[in-house]
Amino acid sequence: MYRRLVAVLSVVLFSAGCTVVRPGEVGVKRTLGRLDDRIIPSGPRVFNPLVTRVIKVPIQTRNMEVNLSLPSKEGLNISAEISILYRVKPEMAPDIVETIGLNYERVAIMSVFRSAAADVSSRYLARDMYTSGRLEIEHEIADTMRNLLGSRGFDIEAVLLKSISLPNNLFRAIESKLEAEQQVQQMAFVLEQEKLEAARLRIEAEGIRDANALRAEGVAEQRRIEAQGIRDANELIGGGIDEDLIRWQTIEAFRELSTSSNTKVIITDSESPLMIDAP
């Protein structure tokens, strides 16, 4: 009976002194109230349950969702749903357990986030949270949290403003402003397209005008060259006619007329013939 009781107690103690550190976790060993600076990686571990406890700390990226009312520059309270992506630095797990405890989300991360979010959002207008300033707000909050929590063992990966709820009148005003800006941008685009089209037509007109001018200039040059040729030909012809050539041409004309079978009356002054057809 005694041996059976000892065996049962041994099995219970051995079972209580075994644990498994899962992937995505590190273990921190606490022995007689003192924490070991060395972390325990994933895998099975055996320890003395009477004096030792293994505290498991998750080191995977965690998503902490917060619903918060953010103050704006003009004094409005803007309801926002925000996600904080963070993870515990494995080598800092013993310090976190010792200085903050396992409730570090509420004690450290949430407290720092509320302060950082209020400080950053108060420098922006409400419409900035809804439009282009949203990304800047996210980055500034995340940077502030990194500066405050990085040395405490937390890696702040991102702060995301998932949804913003504005007062109805402000929401309508922002929507109207955005629509007006889009219309202005559309009009500017149309005007730019019209300017481009006008420039294209002007270039085409200038090209046609220049082509016509070149064509007219070419025609004028051609006419000038032709006139020059005719003038030069006339000068050559005029310079080549003399009295002897005229007499020779007259004799040739008389000779051709004399050999003709038709009856003709020729009146001449012995220099040039004048032919009259016979009746």
Side-chain angles (χ1 to χ4, degrees):
M1 184 67 180
Y2 175 75
R3 291 180 178 179
R4 182 177 296 178
L5 180 61
V6 171
V8 171
L9 289 176
S10 298
V11 171
V12 171
L13 289 175
F14 181 78
S15 300
C18 293
T19 189
V20 176
V21 179
R22 295 185 297 271
E25 294 179 336
V26 293
V28 178
K29 185 184 292 186
R30 183 172 64 190
T31 303
L32 296 177
R34 298 183 59 182
L35 293 174
D36 193 339
D37 293 337
R38 296 170 299 178
I39 62 173
I40 302 174
S42 60
R45 292 293 180 268
V46 178
F47 60 94
N48 184 352
L50 299 178
V51 295
T52 302
R53 178 189 173 193
V54 175
I55 303 171
K56 300 175 184 179
V57 179
I59 58 173
Q60 293 175 325
T61 297
R62 298 177 68 86
N63 179 19
M64 182 178 177
E65 294 191 353
V66 180
N67 292 318
L68 190 65
S69 180
L70 299 176
S72 66
K73 188 175 182 179
E74 61 267 52
L76 298 175
N77 290 323
I78 310 302
S79 299
E81 182 181 351
I82 305 169
S83 287
I84 307 169
L85 301 180
Y86 77 95
R87 70 181 186 89
V88 172
K89 298 178 182 179
E91 67 279 7
M92 299 289 288
D95 291 336
I96 292 174
V97 173
E98 182 176 5
T99 59
I100 301 176
L102 295 180
N103 194 20
Y104 47 77
E105 278 195 353
R106 182 182 63 83
V107 174
I109 296 177
M110 189 61 188
S111 299
V112 171
F113 166 72
R114 286 182 179 276
S115 175
D119 180 64
V120 172
S121 64
S122 63
R123 299 197 298 268
Y124 288 86
L125 298 174
R127 62 182 177 86
D128 295 331
M129 302 180 193
Y130 186 74
T131 56
S132 58
R134 186 170 185 165
L135 187 61
E136 296 179 8
I137 295 173
E138 292 175 346
H139 288 171
E140 287 193 30
I141 295 175
D143 290 340
T144 302
M145 294 183 68
R146 291 188 190 102
N147 293 334
L148 295 174
L149 295 174
S151 61
R152 303 296 301 275
F154 301 99
D155 182 13
I156 305 300
E157 297 181 356
V159 173
L160 306 175
L161 299 180
K162 297 173 61 177
S163 64
I164 299 292
S165 298
L166 300 176
N168 291 332
N169 56 346
L170 179 60
F171 178 80
R172 287 193 297 269
I174 293 175
E175 287 290 331
S176 299
K177 184 176 183 297
L178 291 176
E179 290 179 0
E181 290 176 351
Q182 291 176 355
Q183 291 176 357
V184 170
Q185 292 175 357
Q186 180 66 23
M187 292 177 62
F189 175 78
V190 172
L191 290 175
E192 185 65 23
Q193 293 298 312
E194 291 180 352
K195 289 180 180 179
L196 293 175
E197 181 64 17
R200 185 185 66 82
L201 294 175
R202 184 180 67 253
I203 292 173
E204 289 183 357
E206 290 176 353
I208 294 173
R209 182 195 63 192
D210 294 342
N212 290 334
L214 290 174
R215 188 178 298 109
E217 183 179 350
V219 171
E221 181 67 15
Q222 181 183 1
R223 296 290 185 268
R224 187 184 64 79
I225 293 172
E226 289 179 355
Q228 181 73 26
I230 294 171
R231 185 193 66 186
D232 293 343
N234 290 335
E235 289 178 354
L236 289 173
I237 293 172
I241 298 176
D242 55 12
E243 292 296 330
D244 293 337
L245 179 60
I246 293 174
R247 290 191 184 94
W248 173 256
Q249 292 294 332
T250 301
I251 294 170
E252 285 294 318
F254 281 138
R255 186 177 62 80
E256 290 180 1
L257 288 172
S258 64
T259 60
S260 175
S261 60
N262 297 327
T263 302
K264 298 176 177 61
V265 177
I266 301 173
I267 302 173
T268 180
D269 58 358
S270 74
E271 291 183 357
S272 60
L274 177 62
M275 184 180 67
I276 300 175
D277 291 334

